[in-house]
Amino acid sequence: MQTVLSNSEYLQIEMQSPTIPTDLDKKSTTSYHGVVLGGTFDKMHLGHEHLLTVSCFLANDKIVVGVTDDSYVEKKKILPELIDSQFDRVSSVRKFIDEIKPSLNEVIVEPMSDAFGPSIREKDLDAIVVSHETRTGASAVNRKRLELLMSPVEVEIIELTMENQEQIVKRGIDGEDKLSSSNQRKAMLGERLRPSRKPFRDFETFVIGVTGGIASGKSSLAQKIVNEMTSDKKKVFHIDCDKVGHSVYTYGSDCYERIVKEFGKEVEMVNRDGSKQINRQALAKIVFSDGSKLKQLNALLWPQIRKEALNLIEKKSKEGINVIVLEAALLIEAGWYDICHEVCVCIAPRDMILQRVKERNPTLAPEEIVCRIDSQITSKDRVAVANFVFSTQWNHEFTSKQVEKAIAAITGASIRKV
């Protein structure tokens, strides 16, 4: 069965009216004791409200909603780092149903960790509500219910008319027209998510922190930000804290001696000319296989890297540099974001990161790659403190569009006087 709302009905939903559309009530007598539906319900939009409203209209007594849990979205969804928390999504669905049809006797809204959820557990269901895109899922539900000796449910396919789609759809940053949460998340890339971390004073150098996990694309992002800022007539300097980190443990430095002392002579390498240096591969093998060793190394290096970065910022400021782009993989873990006016976080899917690391370091064993990735904080943790989020999982042009949008927001407000 297929249900389509008229413009007048859709207007009621758009205004978030807490009533069931009356026109729909007049033209249809179909109703069911129990109705089930499922979805991610991220950033509740008109499509979600449409689906839930019709479901409430169809249900006389009971409505059951499965909301994909955090573990499921991590595996199956685009840009899971930008998806609202499981708690918030469940709460927003429950609130909407309570407002739209408070007369229901039973409302179940619960997390689900697979494609079926409560649809194959609740026996007293008569209908499942799906969109045109997810209608094949309803067939899978009925097959599963039959396997479990449950009655199959009627399938209600909810569609928007083309006219309504044109009225409410939002165009994504990549030009794709589609009413979906994934499009909303893509549109968030490069947008300001939080106010600047600290107020900008016109006598100081503006610092943009760029961070991300291993192979997330943060270096190319940092360079794109530098290029975009330079084209905006700003004097920009790029500080790569990875390179700064290498410089703080050169032979003869205090850090060099302490690293050799604490991690052993096997991390020291003698070159053909007799000079000595830290064998970074040997050191990495030790610290990425032992979390306590990694913390030990970080305790040695982080204070020194911060000190050198601050010295560089001060020096470049005196030389007339307007903007510093501070690239640091450990910006958030080390707490260096307090140096920054803005924090830009770069993310990419885990499978893409695994492939990038493998291509960059073909001699690394798969388990070593996983250890390096898992030794860092999660992208979700980084996003939690980000002013701007970017993803490099699409083409360079799309990444550049994200950067252009972010820089327009920054230069249009924070550093317009620079």
Side-chain angles (χ1 to χ4, degrees):
M1 188 176 293
Q2 198 169 78
T3 305
V4 180
L5 292 185
S6 69
N7 285 343
S8 61
E9 294 157 359
Y10 221 74
L11 180 61
Q12 286 184 296
I13 299 175
E14 191 170 5
M15 294 172 65
Q16 296 186 348
S17 170
T19 59
I20 300 298
T22 54
D23 289 348
L24 180 61
D25 187 51
K26 289 176 184 177
K27 71 182 183 184
S28 175
T29 56
T30 304
S31 61
Y32 304 95
H33 160 73
V35 172
V36 65
L37 68 157
T40 305
F41 297 100
D42 178 44
K43 297 168 182 59
M44 186 82 75
H45 55 61
L46 288 174
H48 295 141
E49 294 176 3
H50 174 51
L51 205 65
L52 289 167
T53 299
V54 176
S55 299
C56 285
F57 168 77
L58 295 172
N60 286 330
D61 188 61
K62 175 179 181 176
I63 190 165
V64 179
V65 185
V67 179
T68 50
D69 67 12
D70 288 340
S71 64
Y72 189 84
V73 300
E74 284 286 336
K75 300 172 189 171
K76 301 289 184 179
K77 297 296 179 178
I78 293 173
L79 301 170
E81 301 90 345
L82 297 176
I83 292 180
D84 293 335
S85 72
Q86 174 183 304
F87 176 83
D88 288 343
R89 289 181 287 116
V90 168
S91 298
S92 65
V93 170
R94 179 68 196 231
K95 181 182 177 184
F96 186 84
I97 293 173
D98 288 345
E99 288 178 352
I100 209 81
K101 196 170 183 180
S103 62
L104 286 166
N105 291 323
E106 188 175 6
V107 177
I108 299 173
V109 183
E110 63 179 49
M112 62 180 189
S113 58
D114 57 33
F116 299 105
S119 68
I120 60 168
R121 191 189 66 250
E122 298 289 324
K123 293 182 179 180
D124 59 338
L125 297 173
D126 306 302
I128 183 169
V129 175
V130 295
S131 67
H132 184 75
E133 290 179 336
T134 60
R135 66 191 185 281
T136 54
S139 300
V141 166
N142 273 334
R143 286 196 298 272
K144 195 71 175 175
R145 285 179 69 87
L146 287 170
E147 287 176 17
L148 297 171
L149 303 180
M150 294 182 187
S151 301
V153 291
E154 186 74 27
V155 179
E156 289 279 354
I157 302 173
I158 310 301
E159 289 231 61
L160 298 175
T161 65
M162 285 304 295
E163 183 180 359
N164 282 327
Q165 287 189 47
E166 289 169 4
Q167 288 174 354
I168 67 173
V169 76
K170 291 185 178 179
R171 179 176 288 271
I173 186 176
D174 58 352
E176 180 187 0
D177 282 337
K178 183 182 176 185
L179 181 65
S180 70
S181 298
S182 59
N183 242 25
Q184 285 185 314
R185 293 194 295 277
K186 285 176 76 172
M188 289 170 66
L189 297 172
E191 283 191 353
R192 179 176 289 284
L193 302 182
R194 294 174 183 81
S196 299
R197 301 202 62 81
K198 60 180 183 176
F200 173 67
R201 295 172 294 181
D202 57 11
F203 59 83
E204 67 182 354
T205 299
F206 194 84
V207 181
I208 300 174
V210 177
T211 189
I214 183 173
S216 61
K218 60 186 173 295
S219 294
S220 62
L221 173 66
Q223 191 56 56
K224 285 184 189 314
I225 292 173
V226 169
N227 294 342
E228 189 67 24
M229 278 290 187
T230 303
S231 68
D232 197 42
K233 311 300 183 187
K234 302 293 187 294
K235 295 178 181 177
V236 188
F237 187 76
H238 178 199
I239 298 176
D240 184 344
C241 286
D242 191 38
K243 292 179 180 177
V244 173
H246 299 162
S247 71
V248 301
Y249 56 77
T250 54
Y251 181 72
S253 67
D254 180 56
C255 272
Y256 182 95
E257 299 301 328
R258 292 179 66 185
I259 288 172
V260 173
K261 181 180 179 180
E262 295 194 26
F263 294 96
K265 283 287 184 179
E266 61 266 32
V267 302
E268 187 176 43
M269 183 167 64
V270 180
N271 299 315
R272 289 182 179 180
D273 61 2
S275 62
K276 295 180 180 180
Q277 67 182 65
I278 296 296
N279 185 330
R280 290 170 55 201
Q281 287 186 332
L283 182 60
K285 202 161 190 175
I286 293 171
V287 299
F288 286 121
S289 62
D290 186 336
S292 63
K293 295 289 186 183
L294 182 59
K295 287 181 181 178
Q296 191 178 347
L297 179 64
N298 289 338
L300 281 174
L301 296 180
W302 285 358
Q304 289 300 315
I305 296 172
R306 180 189 175 95
K307 181 181 176 182
E308 290 298 319
L310 286 171
N311 288 340
L312 263 174
I313 291 171
E314 183 180 1
K315 178 185 175 185
K316 293 302 174 181
S317 180
K318 289 176 180 177
E319 293 174 1
I321 294 295
N322 302 132
V323 180
I324 295 287
V325 176
L326 183 69
E327 179 192 343
L330 301 170
L331 186 83
I332 293 169
E333 296 95 314
W336 299 339
Y337 52 83
D338 66 339
I339 301 172
C340 308
H341 295 86
E342 308 281 5
V343 171
C344 297
V345 168
C346 192
I347 59 177
R350 185 179 177 92
D351 58 349
M352 184 175 286
I353 287 172
L354 286 165
Q355 185 59 34
R356 287 175 178 176
V357 177
K358 184 179 178 181
E359 290 172 359
R360 187 187 300 175
N361 301 283
T363 59
L364 280 179
E367 58 271 19
E368 289 181 287
I369 296 174
V370 171
C371 277
R372 293 194 181 195
I373 294 172
D374 292 344
S375 70
Q376 301 179 321
I377 62 172
T378 66
S379 291
K380 193 93 173 176
D381 292 331
R382 294 187 183 92
V383 168
V385 298
N387 299 100
F388 299 89
V389 174
F390 307 83
S391 179
T392 58
Q393 69 185 91
W394 292 281
N395 57 42
H396 287 291
E397 183 183 5
F398 185 47
T399 307
S400 295
K401 286 181 180 179
Q402 298 170 45
V403 172
E404 289 168 13
K405 184 162 58 164
I407 298 307
I410 294 171
T411 56
S414 305
I415 54 176
R416 57 184 177 275
K417 296 179 182 178
V418 174

